[in-house]
Amino acid sequence: MTRSSTERIDTAIGGVGDSPIRPDAALKVKGEFAYSSDLWADEMLWGATLRSPHPYARIRAIRIGPALTLPGVYAVLTHTDVPGRNRFGLEHADQPVLAEDVVRYEGEPVAIVAADHPETARRAAARIEVDYEVLDPVTDPEAALGTESPVLHPDHQGGNVVRHVRIRHGAPEPTAPVVVTGEYTVGMQDQAFLGPESGLAVPAEDGGIDLFVATQWLHVDQQQVAAALGLPTDQVRITLAGVGGAFGAREDLSMQVHACMLARHTGKPVKFVYGREESFFGHVHRHPAVIRYEHGATEDGDLVYVRARILLDGGAYASSTTAVVANAATLGVGPYVVPNVHIDAYGLYTNNPPCGAMRGFGAVQACFGYESQMDRLAERLGMDPVELRIRNAVSEGASLPTGQVIDSAAPVAELLRLVRDKPMPAAAADDLREMPGGVSNTTHGEGVVRGVGYGVGIKNVGFSEGFDDYSTARVRLEVISGEPVVSVHTAAAEVGQGLVTLQAQIARTELGVHQVTVLPADTAVGSAGSSSASRQSYVTGGAVRAACEAVRADLLALAAAKVAVDGALHLDGGKVISATGEAVADVADLVGGKAIEHTVEWRHRPTEPIDPETGQGTAHVQYAFAAHRAVVDVDTELGLVRVVELACAQDVGRAMNPQAVVGQIQGGSAQGLGLAVMEEIQVVDGKVRNPSFTDYLIPTILDMPPMPIDVLELADPHAPYGLRGVGEPPTISATPAIVAAIRAATGKALDRVPVRPEHVVFDNGRDGR
């Protein structure tokens, strides 16, 4: 189902609004797509990393001699071999390339090895001797916030607090006749991409380095690698290799500097490929959270105030914690009108694994808390939970707790009505495959109870708080073999979301040329920013459109100079078309043996930093909304859950590629389902207990239910084509909807995700205690 608020642009074949086949689709289906782990070079060496076995320890000594004696080993490097700055980080350069005097999390890199075979490299790394003085790790974020906790980064002002964001809106001490409180816990989720961290560094004749790597942000990688190598940025050339999923985890560096150090040291190409266990230590994860909420309302259900205290465990290093905290705080009351808001959100250093970007980025954790509160409030008031949400829903023109006014469509109430009014799925049949536990024959229906739950969420799109958020696109129109051909060159990372397809669609629509080539993303063109924050269609899409418009203007000027016609001209099918619909010139003839090329930097409208004391300010450029209805069957005796159906409604502004939009909604919902009922990195005393896909469970095709989907297209007048970021909102609202459905089936409080069987079976529904 689609509803549009604007007259649609005519959809060219393969253009904006169409769903052309992805250029990488057949290769991926047939197993022929080249991922970063498939990279190869003559005389290539293999890299390996020695990692700390301790969450917190001082390094007394490192002895590399035993590793160097192993035949086939070309280099063993430690922090003393870092040629430039031994620090990196997305927002704070607080993380060593290789640990110096202290390790702050289990798995921190201490030394790196290059050898002629991957097994030789791993054996050599195991021979390195490190003398550690083991320290007591700080693993409780609440304790880290206290004054008695060891300060893990003495050079950081603020102790173990990476960032504290305050939101103060309305009256300082409001009261209400109806008050509900709750404390909610979100576990540490992994991005669980299938392609592990990998890349190939090749030393160059000019003393620089060429790096081919799976990443999300080419130019920030370039800046950090150059600083660590002590090189000018133009001597670090990075090309995007095939990416096997990202979801935020590839924003931070993993093996990039290590491969480049070894390649420059040995003079040979060096390749890294992490195994699955190492991958769990090689990238950041979703921030675990402990959130306390207090909601006050009138007896009619109007929200009066929200108080919240949000603790986000950032782990050993900052990564993108500062931005995650800001999102959790600024979006912390959800898509609701709340006149009085008092929120304190903290991001904290601990000795747990580093946490950073993951799909939803702070909004996921907050949404589980505030949506759980809305269900609790509805129960207290004796109201329907959907009607309570609709009664308090924001709409266009509403003011958020930051004081920012929503200046485009915000159809929260409509989204909720759409999912509520869908037909309910049929009752479970006798087929065991439709029972919780499936074909394991754990039940034939006895003890199985059905529940229905709802969730709705809000997410910002793009970078915020005054960040200079832009993208660069170079578009070239030329004639090859008598046909007009367009090439598009950006540094935007294709991480599986379909951006390569979209760039070609935009070029076809704007230039009326069917043959479009999207060149490999690299640092030879200006920055496109990160493939995160649901921003690339907006920002890189805007840049490609603007560059195409510049090319089109030149082309139509050529046509106007050669053809005397009245009225505006446009392009279609490789022709210049007059206002009367007549083809008056061929694009190929106008371009001839020359080329028309333009490079454009494109920015969205500016945002601003929030006030540090009140959190007031126009922090975000755009908001996106999605709602879910979950239907579950729960075996209340064994605690097993089957999600029977997961309906979703989402406003996407403009469905640039309708099939890709549906895919994003399905994929985002799958990750929300995983967080609801199965996905959690188990960390005990700072140590990861389940670094494998045997013990860290993710949804499979058998876990995913049917997904009825409604797509609204209510154009944002400030965005290219009216589009709205799509990828993150469905992840945000899926989790609370599923947990609400389990609560409805069991009557348990269930204030923690993921919900485990013991939470369902034991009396209090919390942690099995």
Coordinates of all heavy atoms in Angstrom, one line a residue, residues 396-481:
E396 N 3.2 17.1 11.9 CA 3.9 18.2 11.3 C 3.5 19.5 12.1 O 2.4 19.8 12.3 CB 3.6 18.3 9.9 CG 4.4 19.4 9.1 CD 4.2 19.4 7.7 OE1 3.4 18.5 7.2 OE2 4.8 20.2 7.0
G397 N 4.6 20.2 12.4 CA 4.4 21.5 13.2 C 4.6 21.3 14.7 O 4.6 22.3 15.4
A398 N 4.7 20.1 15.2 CA 4.9 19.8 16.6 C 6.3 20.2 17.0 O 7.2 20.2 16.2 CB 4.6 18.4 16.9
S399 N 6.4 20.6 18.3 CA 7.7 21.0 18.8 C 8.2 19.8 19.6 O 7.5 19.2 20.5 CB 7.6 22.2 19.7 OG 8.8 22.6 20.3
L400 N 9.5 19.5 19.4 CA 10.1 18.4 20.1 C 10.8 18.9 21.4 O 10.9 20.1 21.6 CB 11.2 17.7 19.2 CG 10.5 17.0 18.0 CD1 11.6 16.6 17.0 CD2 9.7 15.8 18.5
P401 N 11.3 18.0 22.3 CA 11.9 18.5 23.6 C 13.1 19.3 23.4 O 13.5 20.1 24.3 CB 12.2 17.1 24.3 CG 11.2 16.2 23.8 CD 11.0 16.5 22.3
T402 N 13.7 19.3 22.2 CA 14.9 20.2 22.0 C 14.4 21.6 21.5 O 15.3 22.4 21.3 CB 15.8 19.6 20.9 OG1 15.0 19.4 19.7 CG2 16.3 18.3 21.3
G403 N 13.1 21.8 21.3 CA 12.6 23.0 20.8 C 12.5 23.0 19.3 O 12.0 24.0 18.7
Q404 N 13.1 22.0 18.7 CA 13.0 21.9 17.2 C 11.6 21.6 16.7 O 10.9 20.7 17.3 CB 14.0 20.9 16.7 CG 14.0 20.8 15.1 CD 15.2 20.0 14.6 OE1 16.0 19.5 15.4 NE2 15.2 19.8 13.3
V405 N 11.1 22.3 15.7 CA 9.8 22.1 15.1 C 9.9 21.1 14.0 O 10.8 21.3 13.1 CB 9.2 23.4 14.7 CG1 7.9 23.2 14.0 CG2 9.0 24.3 15.9
I406 N 9.1 20.1 13.9 CA 9.0 19.2 12.8 C 8.4 19.9 11.6 O 7.2 20.3 11.7 CB 8.2 17.9 13.2 CG1 8.8 17.2 14.4 CG2 8.2 17.0 12.0 CD1 8.0 16.1 14.9
D407 N 9.2 20.1 10.6 CA 8.7 20.9 9.4 C 8.5 20.1 8.2 O 8.5 20.7 7.1 CB 9.7 22.1 9.2 CG 11.1 21.6 8.8 OD1 11.3 20.4 8.8 OD2 11.9 22.5 8.6
S408 N 8.2 18.9 8.3 CA 7.7 18.0 7.2 C 6.8 17.0 7.8 O 6.5 17.0 9.0 CB 8.9 17.4 6.5 OG 9.6 16.5 7.3
A409 N 6.3 16.1 7.0 CA 5.3 15.1 7.4 C 5.8 14.3 8.6 O 6.9 13.9 8.6 CB 4.9 14.2 6.2
A410 N 4.9 14.1 9.5 CA 5.1 13.2 10.7 C 3.8 12.4 10.9 O 3.1 12.7 11.9 CB 5.5 14.1 11.9
P411 N 3.6 11.4 10.1 CA 2.3 10.7 10.2 C 2.2 9.6 11.2 O 1.9 8.5 10.9 CB 2.1 10.2 8.7 CG 3.5 9.9 8.3 CD 4.4 10.9 9.0
V412 N 2.6 9.9 12.4 CA 2.7 8.9 13.4 C 1.4 8.2 13.7 O 1.3 7.0 13.7 CB 3.3 9.4 14.7 CG1 3.4 8.4 15.8 CG2 4.7 10.0 14.5
A413 N 0.3 9.0 13.8 CA -1.0 8.4 14.1 C -1.4 7.6 12.9 O -2.0 6.5 13.1 CB -2.0 9.6 14.3
E414 N -1.2 8.0 11.7 CA -1.6 7.2 10.6 C -0.9 5.9 10.5 O -1.5 4.9 10.2 CB -1.4 8.0 9.3 CG -1.9 7.3 8.0 CD -1.8 8.1 6.8 OE1 -1.4 9.3 6.8 OE2 -2.1 7.6 5.7
L415 N 0.4 5.9 10.8 CA 1.2 4.7 10.8 C 0.6 3.7 11.8 O 0.5 2.5 11.5 CB 2.7 5.0 11.1 CG 3.4 5.9 10.0 CD1 4.8 6.2 10.5 CD2 3.5 5.2 8.7
L416 N 0.3 4.2 12.9 CA -0.2 3.3 14.0 C -1.6 2.7 13.6 O -1.9 1.5 13.8 CB -0.4 4.1 15.3 CG 0.9 4.3 16.0 CD1 0.7 5.4 17.1 CD2 1.4 3.1 16.7
R417 N -2.4 3.5 13.0 CA -3.7 3.0 12.5 C -3.6 2.0 11.4 O -4.3 1.0 11.4 CB -4.6 4.2 12.0 CG -5.0 5.1 13.1 CD -6.0 6.2 12.6 NE -6.4 7.1 13.6 CZ -5.9 8.4 13.7 NH1 -5.1 8.8 12.8 NH2 -6.3 9.2 14.7
L418 N -2.6 2.2 10.5 CA -2.4 1.2 9.4 C -2.0 -0.1 10.0 O -2.6 -1.2 9.5 CB -1.3 1.8 8.5 CG -1.7 2.9 7.6 CD1 -0.5 3.5 6.9 CD2 -2.7 2.4 6.5
V419 N -1.1 -0.2 10.9 CA -0.7 -1.5 11.4 C -1.8 -2.1 12.3 O -2.0 -3.3 12.3 CB 0.7 -1.5 12.2 CG1 1.8 -1.2 11.2 CG2 0.7 -0.5 13.3
R420 N -2.5 -1.3 13.1 CA -3.6 -1.8 13.9 C -4.7 -2.4 13.1 O -5.3 -3.4 13.5 CB -4.1 -0.6 14.8 CG -5.3 -1.1 15.7 CD -6.0 0.1 16.3 NE -6.6 1.0 15.2 CZ -7.1 2.2 15.4 NH1 -7.1 2.7 16.6 NH2 -7.7 2.8 14.4
D421 N -5.0 -1.8 12.0 CA -6.2 -2.2 11.3 C -6.0 -3.3 10.3 O -6.9 -3.7 9.6 CB -6.8 -0.9 10.5 CG -7.3 0.1 11.4 OD1 -7.5 -0.2 12.6 OD2 -7.5 1.3 11.0
K422 N -4.8 -3.8 10.2 CA -4.5 -4.9 9.4 C -5.2 -6.2 9.9 O -5.4 -6.4 11.1 CB -3.0 -5.2 9.2 CG -2.3 -4.2 8.4 CD -0.9 -4.7 8.0 CE -0.4 -3.7 7.0 NZ -1.2 -3.7 5.7
P423 N -5.7 -7.1 9.0 CA -6.3 -8.3 9.5 C -5.3 -9.1 10.3 O -4.1 -9.1 10.0 CB -6.6 -9.1 8.2 CG -6.7 -8.0 7.1 CD -5.7 -7.0 7.5
M424 N -5.8 -9.8 11.3 CA -5.0 -10.6 12.2 C -4.7 -11.9 11.5 O -5.5 -12.4 10.7 CB -5.7 -10.9 13.5 CG -5.7 -9.7 14.4 SD -4.0 -9.4 15.1 CE -4.4 -8.0 16.1
P425 N -3.5 -12.4 11.7 CA -3.1 -13.8 11.1 C -4.0 -14.9 11.7 O -4.5 -14.7 12.8 CB -1.7 -13.9 11.4 CG -1.4 -13.1 12.6 CD -2.3 -11.9 12.5
A426 N -4.1 -15.9 10.9 CA -4.9 -17.1 11.4 C -4.3 -17.7 12.6 O -3.1 -17.6 12.9 CB -5.1 -18.1 10.3
A427 N -5.1 -18.4 13.4 CA -4.6 -19.1 14.5 C -3.7 -20.2 14.1 O -3.8 -20.7 13.0 CB -5.8 -19.7 15.3
A428 N -2.8 -20.6 15.0 CA -1.8 -21.7 14.6 C -2.5 -22.9 14.3 O -3.5 -23.3 14.9 CB -0.9 -21.9 15.8
A429 N -2.0 -23.6 13.2 CA -2.6 -24.9 12.8 C -1.9 -26.0 13.6 O -1.1 -25.7 14.5 CB -2.4 -25.1 11.3
D430 N -2.2 -27.2 13.3 CA -1.6 -28.4 14.0 C -0.2 -28.6 13.5 O 0.5 -29.5 14.0 CB -2.4 -29.6 13.8 CG -3.8 -29.5 14.5 OD1 -3.8 -28.7 15.5 OD2 -4.7 -30.1 14.0
D431 N 0.3 -27.9 12.4 CA 1.6 -28.1 11.8 C 2.6 -27.7 12.8 O 2.7 -26.6 13.3 CB 1.7 -27.3 10.5 CG 2.9 -27.7 9.7 OD1 3.9 -28.1 10.3 OD2 2.9 -27.5 8.5
L432 N 3.5 -28.6 13.2 CA 4.6 -28.3 14.2 C 5.4 -27.2 13.7 O 6.0 -26.4 14.6 CB 5.5 -29.5 14.4 CG 4.8 -30.7 15.2 CD1 5.8 -31.9 15.3 CD2 4.4 -30.2 16.6
R433 N 5.6 -27.0 12.4 CA 6.4 -25.9 12.0 C 5.9 -24.5 12.3 O 6.6 -23.5 12.3 CB 6.6 -26.0 10.5 CG 7.4 -27.2 10.0 CD 7.4 -27.3 8.5 NE 6.1 -27.6 8.0 CZ 5.8 -27.9 6.8 NH1 6.7 -27.9 5.8 NH2 4.5 -28.2 6.4
E434 N 4.6 -24.5 12.7 CA 4.0 -23.2 13.1 C 3.9 -23.0 14.6 O 3.3 -22.1 15.1 CB 2.6 -23.1 12.5 CG 2.6 -23.1 10.9 CD 1.2 -22.9 10.3 OE1 0.3 -22.6 11.1 OE2 1.1 -23.1 9.1
M435 N 4.6 -23.9 15.3 CA 4.5 -23.8 16.8 C 5.9 -23.2 17.3 O 6.9 -23.4 16.7 CB 4.4 -25.2 17.4 CG 3.0 -25.9 17.1 SD 1.7 -25.1 18.0 CE 0.3 -26.0 17.4
P436 N 5.9 -22.6 18.5 CA 7.1 -22.3 19.1 C 7.9 -23.5 19.3 O 7.4 -24.5 19.8 CB 6.7 -21.6 20.4 CG 5.3 -21.2 20.2 CD 4.7 -22.1 19.3
G437 N 9.2 -23.5 18.9 CA 10.0 -24.7 19.0 C 10.0 -25.5 17.7 O 10.9 -26.3 17.5
G438 N 9.1 -25.2 16.8 CA 9.1 -25.8 15.5 C 9.1 -27.3 15.5 O 8.4 -27.9 16.3
V439 N 9.9 -27.8 14.6 CA 9.8 -29.3 14.4 C 10.6 -30.0 15.5 O 10.7 -31.3 15.4 CB 10.4 -29.7 13.0 CG1 9.6 -29.2 11.9 CG2 11.9 -29.1 12.9
S440 N 11.0 -29.3 16.5 CA 11.6 -30.0 17.6 C 10.6 -30.8 18.4 O 11.0 -31.5 19.4 CB 12.3 -29.0 18.5 OG 13.4 -28.3 17.8
N441 N 9.3 -30.6 18.1 CA 8.3 -31.4 18.8 C 8.2 -31.1 20.3 O 8.0 -32.0 21.1 CB 8.5 -32.9 18.6 CG 7.2 -33.7 18.8 OD1 6.1 -33.2 18.6 ND2 7.4 -35.0 19.1
T442 N 8.4 -29.8 20.6 CA 8.4 -29.4 22.0 C 7.0 -29.2 22.5 O 6.7 -29.2 23.7 CB 9.2 -28.2 22.2 OG1 8.7 -27.1 21.4 CG2 10.7 -28.4 21.9
T443 N 6.0 -29.0 21.6 CA 4.6 -28.8 22.0 C 3.7 -29.1 20.8 O 4.1 -29.0 19.7 CB 4.4 -27.3 22.4 OG1 3.0 -27.2 22.9 CG2 4.7 -26.3 21.3
H444 N 2.5 -29.5 21.2 CA 1.5 -29.6 20.2 C 0.4 -28.6 20.4 O -0.8 -28.8 20.0 CB 0.9 -31.0 20.2 CG 1.8 -32.0 19.6 ND1 1.7 -32.6 18.4 CD2 2.9 -32.6 20.1 CE1 2.6 -33.4 18.1 NE2 3.4 -33.5 19.2
G445 N 0.7 -27.5 21.1 CA -0.2 -26.4 21.3 C -0.5 -26.2 22.8 O -1.0 -25.1 23.1
E446 N -0.2 -27.2 23.6 CA -0.5 -27.0 25.0 C 0.5 -25.9 25.6 O 1.7 -26.0 25.3 CB -0.4 -28.3 25.8 CG 1.0 -29.0 25.7 CD 1.2 -29.8 24.5 OE1 0.4 -29.7 23.5 OE2 2.2 -30.6 24.4
G447 N 0.0 -25.0 26.4 CA 0.8 -24.0 27.0 C 1.1 -22.8 26.0 O 1.8 -21.9 26.4
V448 N 0.6 -22.9 24.8 CA 0.9 -21.8 23.8 C -0.1 -20.7 23.9 O -1.3 -21.0 23.7 CB 1.0 -22.4 22.4 CG1 1.2 -21.3 21.3 CG2 2.2 -23.4 22.3
V449 N 0.3 -19.5 24.0 CA -0.6 -18.4 24.2 C -0.2 -17.3 23.1 O 1.0 -17.0 22.9 CB -0.6 -17.7 25.6 CG1 -1.5 -16.6 25.7 CG2 -0.9 -18.8 26.6
R450 N -1.2 -16.7 22.5 CA -0.9 -15.7 21.5 C -0.9 -14.3 22.1 O -1.7 -14.0 23.0 CB -1.9 -15.8 20.3 CG -1.8 -14.7 19.3 CD -2.3 -15.1 17.9 NE -1.5 -16.1 17.3 CZ -1.7 -16.6 16.1 NH1 -2.7 -16.1 15.3 NH2 -0.9 -17.5 15.6
G451 N -0.1 -13.4 21.6 CA -0.1 -12.0 22.1 C 0.1 -11.1 20.9 O 0.7 -11.4 19.9
V452 N -0.4 -9.9 21.1 CA -0.2 -8.8 20.1 C 0.4 -7.6 20.8 O 0.0 -7.2 21.9 CB -1.6 -8.5 19.5 CG1 -1.5 -7.3 18.5 CG2 -2.3 -9.7 18.9
G453 N 1.3 -6.9 20.1 CA 1.9 -5.7 20.7 C 2.3 -4.7 19.6 O 2.4 -5.1 18.4
Y454 N 2.5 -3.5 20.0 CA 2.7 -2.4 19.1 C 4.0 -1.6 19.5 O 4.3 -1.5 20.7 CB 1.5 -1.4 19.1 CG 0.3 -2.1 18.5 CD1 -0.6 -2.8 19.4 CD2 0.0 -2.1 17.2 CE1 -1.7 -3.4 18.9 CE2 -1.2 -2.7 16.7 CZ -2.0 -3.4 17.6 OH -3.1 -4.0 17.1
G455 N 4.6 -1.0 18.5 CA 5.7 -0.1 18.8 C 5.8 0.9 17.7 O 5.5 0.6 16.5
V456 N 6.2 2.1 18.0 CA 6.4 3.2 17.0 C 7.7 3.9 17.5 O 8.0 4.1 18.7 CB 5.2 4.1 16.9 CG1 4.9 4.9 18.2 CG2 5.4 5.1 15.7
G457 N 8.5 4.4 16.5 CA 9.7 5.0 16.8 C 10.0 6.2 16.0 O 9.4 6.5 14.9
I458 N 11.0 7.0 16.4 CA 11.5 8.2 15.7 C 13.0 8.1 15.5 O 13.7 7.6 16.4 CB 11.1 9.5 16.4 CG1 11.6 10.7 15.7 CG2 11.6 9.5 17.9 CD1 11.1 12.0 16.3
K459 N 13.5 8.5 14.4 CA 14.9 8.5 14.1 C 15.3 9.7 13.3 O 14.6 10.1 12.4 CB 15.3 7.3 13.4 CG 16.8 7.2 13.0 CD 17.7 7.0 14.2 CE 19.2 6.8 13.9 NZ 19.8 8.0 13.2
N460 N 16.4 10.4 13.7 CA 17.0 11.4 12.9 C 17.7 10.8 11.7 O 18.1 9.7 11.7 CB 18.0 12.3 13.7 CG 19.2 11.4 14.1 OD1 19.0 10.4 14.8 ND2 20.4 11.9 13.8
V461 N 17.8 11.6 10.6 CA 18.5 11.2 9.4 C 19.6 12.1 9.2 O 19.5 13.4 9.3 CB 17.5 11.3 8.2 CG1 18.3 11.0 6.9 CG2 16.4 10.3 8.4
G462 N 20.8 11.6 8.9 CA 22.0 12.4 8.6 C 22.7 12.7 9.9 O 22.3 12.4 11.0
F463 N 23.9 13.4 9.6 CA 24.7 13.9 10.8 C 24.1 15.2 11.3 O 23.5 15.9 10.6 CB 26.1 14.1 10.3 CG 26.8 12.8 9.9 CD1 27.8 12.9 9.0 CD2 26.4 11.6 10.4 CE1 28.5 11.7 8.5 CE2 27.1 10.5 10.0 CZ 28.1 10.5 9.1
S464 N 24.3 15.4 12.6 CA 23.6 16.4 13.4 C 24.5 17.3 14.1 O 25.7 17.3 14.0 CB 22.6 15.7 14.4 OG 21.8 14.8 13.7
E465 N 23.9 18.2 14.9 CA 24.5 19.1 15.8 C 25.6 20.0 15.2 O 26.7 20.2 15.7 CB 25.2 18.3 17.0 CG 24.1 17.6 17.8 CD 24.8 17.0 19.1 OE1 24.9 17.8 20.1 OE2 25.2 15.9 19.1
G466 N 25.3 20.5 14.0 CA 26.2 21.4 13.3 C 27.3 20.8 12.5 O 28.2 21.5 12.0
F467 N 27.3 19.4 12.4 CA 28.3 18.8 11.6 C 28.2 19.2 10.1 O 27.1 19.3 9.6 CB 28.2 17.2 11.7 CG 29.3 16.4 11.1 CD1 30.4 16.1 11.9 CD2 29.3 16.1 9.8 CE1 31.4 15.3 11.3 CE2 30.3 15.4 9.2 CZ 31.4 15.0 10.0
D468 N 29.4 19.4 9.5 CA 29.4 19.8 8.1 C 29.1 18.6 7.2 O 30.1 17.9 6.8 CB 30.7 20.5 7.7 CG 30.8 21.0 6.3 OD1 29.7 21.1 5.7 OD2 31.9 21.2 5.8
D469 N 27.9 18.3 7.0 CA 27.5 17.0 6.4 C 27.3 17.3 4.9 O 26.3 17.9 4.5 CB 26.2 16.5 7.1 CG 25.8 15.1 6.7 OD1 26.7 14.4 6.1 OD2 24.7 14.7 7.1
Y470 N 28.1 16.7 4.1 CA 28.0 16.9 2.7 C 28.5 15.6 1.9 O 29.1 14.7 2.5 CB 28.9 18.1 2.2 CG 30.4 17.9 2.3 CD1 31.1 17.4 1.2 CD2 31.1 18.1 3.5 CE1 32.5 17.2 1.3 CE2 32.5 17.9 3.6 CZ 33.2 17.4 2.5 OH 34.5 17.2 2.5
S471 N 28.3 15.6 0.6 CA 28.8 14.6 -0.2 C 29.3 15.2 -1.6 O 28.8 16.3 -1.9 CB 27.7 13.5 -0.5 OG 28.3 12.5 -1.3
T472 N 30.2 14.5 -2.2 CA 30.7 15.0 -3.5 C 30.4 14.0 -4.6 O 30.5 12.8 -4.4 CB 32.3 15.1 -3.3 OG1 32.6 15.8 -2.1 CG2 32.9 15.8 -4.5
A473 N 30.0 14.5 -5.7 CA 29.7 13.7 -6.9 C 30.4 14.3 -8.1 O 30.3 15.5 -8.3 CB 28.2 13.5 -7.1
R474 N 30.9 13.4 -8.9 CA 31.5 13.8 -10.2 C 30.7 13.0 -11.3 O 30.6 11.8 -11.3 CB 33.0 13.5 -10.3 CG 33.6 13.9 -11.7 CD 35.1 13.6 -11.6 NE 35.8 14.3 -10.6 CZ 36.8 13.9 -9.8 NH1 37.2 12.7 -10.0 NH2 37.3 14.6 -8.9
V475 N 30.1 13.8 -12.2 CA 29.3 13.2 -13.3 C 29.9 13.6 -14.6 O 30.1 14.8 -14.8 CB 27.8 13.6 -13.1 CG1 27.0 13.1 -14.4 CG2 27.2 13.0 -11.9
R476 N 30.0 12.6 -15.5 CA 30.6 12.9 -16.8 C 29.7 12.3 -17.9 O 29.3 11.1 -17.8 CB 32.0 12.2 -16.9 CG 32.8 12.4 -18.2 CD 34.1 11.7 -18.1 NE 34.9 11.7 -19.3 CZ 35.7 12.7 -19.6 NH1 36.0 13.6 -18.7 NH2 36.4 12.7 -20.8
L477 N 29.4 13.1 -18.9 CA 28.7 12.6 -20.0 C 29.6 12.7 -21.3 O 30.2 13.7 -21.6 CB 27.5 13.6 -20.2 CG 26.6 13.3 -21.5 CD1 26.0 11.9 -21.5 CD2 25.6 14.4 -21.6
E478 N 29.7 11.5 -21.9 CA 30.5 11.4 -23.1 C 29.9 10.5 -24.1 O 28.9 9.8 -23.8 CB 31.9 11.0 -22.8 CG 32.0 9.7 -22.1 CD 33.4 9.4 -21.5 OE1 34.4 9.8 -22.2 OE2 33.5 8.7 -20.4
V479 N 30.4 10.4 -25.3 CA 29.9 9.5 -26.3 C 30.9 8.4 -26.5 O 32.1 8.6 -26.8 CB 29.6 10.2 -27.6 CG1 29.2 9.2 -28.7 CG2 28.6 11.3 -27.4
I480 N 30.4 7.1 -26.4 CA 31.3 5.9 -26.6 C 30.6 5.1 -27.6 O 29.4 4.7 -27.4 CB 31.5 5.2 -25.3 CG1 32.2 6.1 -24.3 CG2 32.3 3.9 -25.5 CD1 32.4 5.5 -22.9
S481 N 31.3 4.7 -28.7 CA 30.7 3.9 -29.8 C 29.4 4.5 -30.3 O 28.4 3.7 -30.5 CB 30.5 2.4 -29.3 OG 31.8 1.9 -28.9

